[in-house]
């Protein structure tokens, strides 16, 4: 990796890998959710995530590069930890609380990645890419906030 362009592309591949893993995890989480609102939140974010993957593919296209994923140990670790705690939680409400926390860890990883990518796109003069990355960044932040609200309003109250 020699240039900022290389770093940008490398990180794009990292988040492309991560998003693909997330589309595999979200249906499992929706299936296990006890709260209907939480299930709905996971399903909604699955649809958004599919759109986010399309945005990344658009950016690869702008760069004239075939979309490619690079293994992201960060997201694998976060998802692994999430699935462990999901299996270990025996109570349905405790499991919901655990899944919200795990999902927020995912969103926070994504927020850091998209934040850096959007900044670099701007620095590299890639305005369209910056807009696309910014749209996804906003979705990840909104998802994180929606999960926080669910945790406070609904799920944590029941688990207490
Ligand atoms: Fe995402
Ligand atoms: Fe990564
Ligand atoms: Fe997300």
């Amino acid at each position: 990796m020699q240039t900022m362009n290389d770093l940008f592309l490398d990180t794009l591949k990292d988040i492309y890998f991560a998003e693909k893993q997330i589309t595999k995890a979200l249906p499992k989480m929706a299936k296990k959710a006890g709260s209907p609102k939480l299930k709905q939140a996971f399903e909604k974010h699955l649809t958004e995530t599919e759109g986010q993957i399309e945005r990344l593919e658009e950016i690869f296209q702008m760069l004239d590069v075939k979309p490619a994923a690079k293994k992201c140990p960060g997201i694998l670790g976060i998802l692994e930890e999430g699935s462990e705690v999901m299996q270990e939680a025996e109570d349905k409400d405790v499991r919901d609380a655990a899944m919200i926390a795990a999902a927020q860890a995912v969103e926070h990883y994504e927020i850091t990645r998209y934040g850096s990518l959007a900044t670099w796109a701007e620095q590299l003069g890639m305005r369209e890419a910056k807009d696309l990355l910014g749209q996804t960044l906003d979705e990840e932040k909104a998802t994180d906030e929606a999960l926080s609200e669910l945790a406070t309003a609904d799920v944590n109250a029941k688990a207490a």
Side-chain angles (χ1 to χ4, degrees):
M1 238 185 285
Q2 297 235 336
T3 65
M4 284 306 292
N5 277 297
D6 297 339
L7 178 62
F8 180 82
L9 183 59
D10 194 76
T11 307
L12 204 65
K13 292 177 179 173
D14 174 271
I15 196 67
Y16 189 59
F17 177 94
E19 294 289 17
K20 294 207 155 187
Q21 294 295 311
I22 294 164
T23 59
K24 289 190 219 164
L26 280 169
K28 292 181 203 162
M29 294 168 81
K31 208 173 151 194
K32 283 218 171 185
S35 147
K37 278 186 193 165
L38 181 58
K39 187 188 179 69
Q40 217 174 53
F42 287 147
E43 283 167 354
K44 179 184 177 205
H45 199 49
L46 175 60
T47 308
E48 283 175 339
T49 301
E50 283 158 0
Q52 295 171 355
I53 288 175
E54 281 171 24
R55 286 190 195 115
L56 291 172
E57 287 168 352
E58 272 183 65
I59 299 171
F60 279 113
Q61 212 171 18
M62 287 172 193
L63 295 169
D64 236 339
V65 177
K66 223 177 107 200
K70 182 187 179 188
K71 187 174 172 183
C72 166
I75 202 71
L76 290 175
I78 290 168
L79 290 174
E80 169 63 29
E81 205 174 67
S83 92
E84 248 172 54
V85 78
M86 246 158 77
Q87 279 158 23
E88 285 165 7
E90 283 161 30
D91 175 85
K92 163 171 114 16
D93 296 327
V94 172
R95 187 181 309 116
D96 278 2
M99 279 197 291
I100 290 179
Q104 286 192 282
V106 171
E107 296 317 309
H108 282 232
Y109 179 79
E110 295 183 289
I111 288 166
T112 67
R113 283 297 182 239
Y114 282 108
S116 301
L117 281 165
T119 303
W120 296 337
E122 169 123 73
Q123 288 169 356
L124 294 166
M126 303 172 58
R127 245 196 89 192
E128 258 182 285
K130 201 232 141 153
D131 286 347
L132 291 170
L133 294 162
Q135 285 172 39
T136 297
L137 179 59
D138 288 344
E139 283 175 358
E140 310 295 24
K141 285 181 179 167
T143 302
D144 180 48
E145 275 161 34
L147 288 167
S148 283
E149 258 165 55
L150 272 180
T152 357
D154 192 23
V155 181
N156 280 1
K158 279 192 251 156

